[in-house]
């Protein structure tokens, strides 16, 4: 989890909003982790107790609702994958100097090769795990060497100087929005961890992933604040790369390029696979041609990025899109939790329901204007 927690979206979103808010971004991390827990704990508990995937539970709640939910999740996954392709373009730009669009097209071809030739994919998995460890050590090293204002950061984490709704929506959407929160619950179901007897195990799994990801985000936040406090000016198209170049020189910059590309290319294949899994159960033809569907998904993601460009903005927009999808999907799951027939007589704790609806209200209220603002900025 620690290896995979710092992907292209994670890096870029954290860097962009730390630039804007400086030490007050710690408050955003604090708020987002509380919202993440409220969303993920409810979703994982409800799905594993019902022993149904999200789309199947929704269809049993109201015929056709599962198709709507699947369409929303696939839309969010598509937004994520455009961002992942953008991350590939950023990574190859650092390594080779190729344009973002050229790097994305090359990475699309590599992703398809990895997907269709499984042996190569397994080799990349091992390589990515090694780079993940390097990535964490490099981030920790930068956080220490940059001498960030830790006391000020902790103070503003509790009492911020300024707050940004866009940062909260984007960070929460990028952490537990769209398919992300469902994919974890679905993996537990596939592993046979389901039913009321496994509630404690499900809770531990849900919380541990969020806590580890939050710790890594806070370390990255401190590293960025430290670099900025020494007067670094970051590239607006690839701000995260600027952090590593300023703190670790050209060697750190090139290592970052390898890390970013490997994390992004793995996410391209993973996001395509998980997104397509949401509709392959609806008709045998999707299951039969699953690989073709995933390949088309990856190619379309690349085509959109090549047409639009603006990789850093797209990575932030992906989080905002999924920040809007989150309250809609979570509301459906929470309503299903009150149906005793679907929940096999299980009674979901009232405090968890209340926490879930708080997430729905906050994210629902913030996400629409934030998404409108992000789309307007992309079109300008």
């Amino acid at each position: 989890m620690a290896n995979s927690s710092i992907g292209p979206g994670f890096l870029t979103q954290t860097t962009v909003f730390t630039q804007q808010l400086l030490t007050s971004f710690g408050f955003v991390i604090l708020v987002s982790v509380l919202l993440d827990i409220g969303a993920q704990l409810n979703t994982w508990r409800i799905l594993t107790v019902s022993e149904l995937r999200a789309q199947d539970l929704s269809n049993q709640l109201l015929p056709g609702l599962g198709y709507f939910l699947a369409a929303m999740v696939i839309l969010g996954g598509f937004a994520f994958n455009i961002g992942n392709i953008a991350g590939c373009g950023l990574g190859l730009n650092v390594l080779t100097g190729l344009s973002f669009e050229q790097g994305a097209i090359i990475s699309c071809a590599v992703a398809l090769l990895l997907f269709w030739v499984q042996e190569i994919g397994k080799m990349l998995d091992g390589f990515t795990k090694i780079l993940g460890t390097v990535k964490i050590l490099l981030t920790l090293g930068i956080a220490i060497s940059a001498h960030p204002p830790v006391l000020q950061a902790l103070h503003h984490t509790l009492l911020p100087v300024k707050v940004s709704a866009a940062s909260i929506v984007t960070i929460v959407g990028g952490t537990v929005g769209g398919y992300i929160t469902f994919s974890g619950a679905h993996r537990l179901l596939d592993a046979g961890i389901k039913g009321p007897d496994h509630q404690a195990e499900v809770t531990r799994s849900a919380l541990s992933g969020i806590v580890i990801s939050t710790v890594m985000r806070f370390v990255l936040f401190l590293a960025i604040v430290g670099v900025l406090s020494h007067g670094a000016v970051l590239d607006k198209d690839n701000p995260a790369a600027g952090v590593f170049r300023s703190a670790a020189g050209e060697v750190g910059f090139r290592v970052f390029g390898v890390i970013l590309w490997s994390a992004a290319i793995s996410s391209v294949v993973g996001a395509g696979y998980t997104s397509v899994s949401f509709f392959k159960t609806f008709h045998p033809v999707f299951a039969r041609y699953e690989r073709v569907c995933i390949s088309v998904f990856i190619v379309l993601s690349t085509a959109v990025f090549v047409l639009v460009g603006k990789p850093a903005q797209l990575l932030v927009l992906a989080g905002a899109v999924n920040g809007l999808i989150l309250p809609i999907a979570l509301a459906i799951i929470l309503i299903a939790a009150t149906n005793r027939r679907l929940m096999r007589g299980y009674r979901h704790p009232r405090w968890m329901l209340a926490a879930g609806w708080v997430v729905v209200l906050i994210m629902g209220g913030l996400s629409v204007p934030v998404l409108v603002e992000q789309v307007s900025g992309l079109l300008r």
Side-chain angles (χ1 to χ4, degrees), residues 301-337:
S301 303
T302 306
V304 171
F305 170 67
V306 170
L307 289 173
V308 176
K310 302 181 180 180
Q313 287 178 266
L314 281 173
L315 283 162
V316 172
L317 179 63
V321 169
N322 284 279
L324 174 62
I325 293 171
L326 173 63
I328 299 171
L330 181 58
I332 293 171
I333 299 301
L334 292 173
I335 293 170

Side-chain angles (χ1 to χ4, degrees), residues 29-105:
I29 297 175
L30 177 62
V31 172
S32 66
V33 71
L34 296 175
L35 295 174
D36 292 346
I37 290 171
Q40 186 148 297
L41 199 56
N42 270 292
T43 302
W44 287 28
R45 172 80 69 89
I46 292 165
L47 293 183
T48 53
V49 169
S50 71
E51 302 185 19
L52 294 169
R53 289 175 172 264
Q55 64 269 36
D56 299 326
L57 179 64
S58 302
N59 265 340
Q60 290 199 25
L61 177 66
L62 179 67
L65 188 60
Y67 296 99
F68 170 75
L69 177 61
M72 294 290 289
V73 170
I74 292 165
L75 173 64
F78 189 64
F80 267 129
N81 224 32
I82 295 170
N84 291 331
I85 284 289
C88 290
L90 292 174
L92 282 188
N93 173 260
V94 168
L95 289 172
T96 65
L98 289 170
S99 71
F100 302 130
E101 292 77 14
Q102 290 172 326
I105 292 170

Side-chain angles (χ1 to χ4, degrees), residues 105-117:
I105 292 170
I106 292 171
S107 299
C108 174
V110 173
L112 294 174
L113 183 65
L114 291 171
F115 180 68
W116 285 92
V117 183

Side-chain angles (χ1 to χ4, degrees), residues 141-312:
I142 291 174
I144 294 169
S145 63
H147 302 293
V150 177
L151 291 179
Q152 186 181 40
L154 292 174
H155 177 239
H156 289 161
T157 295
L158 300 175
L159 297 171
V161 175
K162 50 185 174 179
V163 179
S164 162
S167 62
I168 294 172
V169 170
T170 303
I171 297 303
V172 173
T175 307
V176 296
Y179 74 85
I180 296 176
T181 190
F182 292 124
S183 65
H186 289 183
R187 283 197 297 270
L188 291 176
L189 289 173
D190 291 340
I193 302 172
K194 53 189 176 183
D197 295 339
H198 290 279
Q199 290 178 40
E201 186 176 356
V202 171
T203 298
R204 282 196 302 271
S205 297
L207 292 178
S208 64
I210 291 174
V211 169
I212 293 171
S213 179
T214 301
V215 169
M216 293 310 304
R217 191 185 298 277
F218 201 84
V219 171
L220 178 61
F221 153 65
L222 290 177
I224 297 165
V225 168
V227 169
L228 293 174
S229 68
H230 289 89
V233 178
L234 307 182
D235 182 352
K236 65 174 182 152
D237 289 325
N238 197 354
V243 173
F244 285 79
R245 171 176 260 167
S246 298
E250 285 301 313
V251 173
F253 181 63
R254 302 300 175 186
V255 171
F256 171 80
V258 176
I259 289 169
L260 180 62
W261 184 83
S262 65
I265 199 75
S266 299
S267 298
V268 167
V269 177
Y273 178 84
T274 306
S275 298
V276 169
S277 73
F278 269 85
F279 64 81
K280 73 176 184 179
T281 57
F282 291 147
H283 195 282
V285 70
F286 295 126
R288 189 180 311 127
Y289 296 104
E290 180 181 15
R291 287 195 169 198
V292 175
C293 292
I294 294 171
S295 300
V296 170
F297 190 86
I298 293 172
V299 170
L300 288 177
S301 303
T302 306
V304 171
F305 170 67
V306 170
L307 289 173
V308 176
K310 302 181 180 180

Side-chain angles (χ1 to χ4, degrees), residues 111-157:
L112 294 174
L113 183 65
L114 291 171
F115 180 68
W116 285 92
V117 183
Q118 294 183 350
E119 289 74 15
I120 299 178
K122 290 176 182 177
M123 289 173 60
L124 179 70
D125 286 342
F127 182 57
T128 302
K129 288 177 182 177
I130 295 171
L131 286 176
T133 303
V134 175
K135 172 174 57 180
I136 293 167
L137 294 175
L138 189 59
T139 306
L140 285 169
I142 291 174
I144 294 169
S145 63
H147 302 293
V150 177
L151 291 179
Q152 186 181 40
L154 292 174
H155 177 239
H156 289 161
T157 295

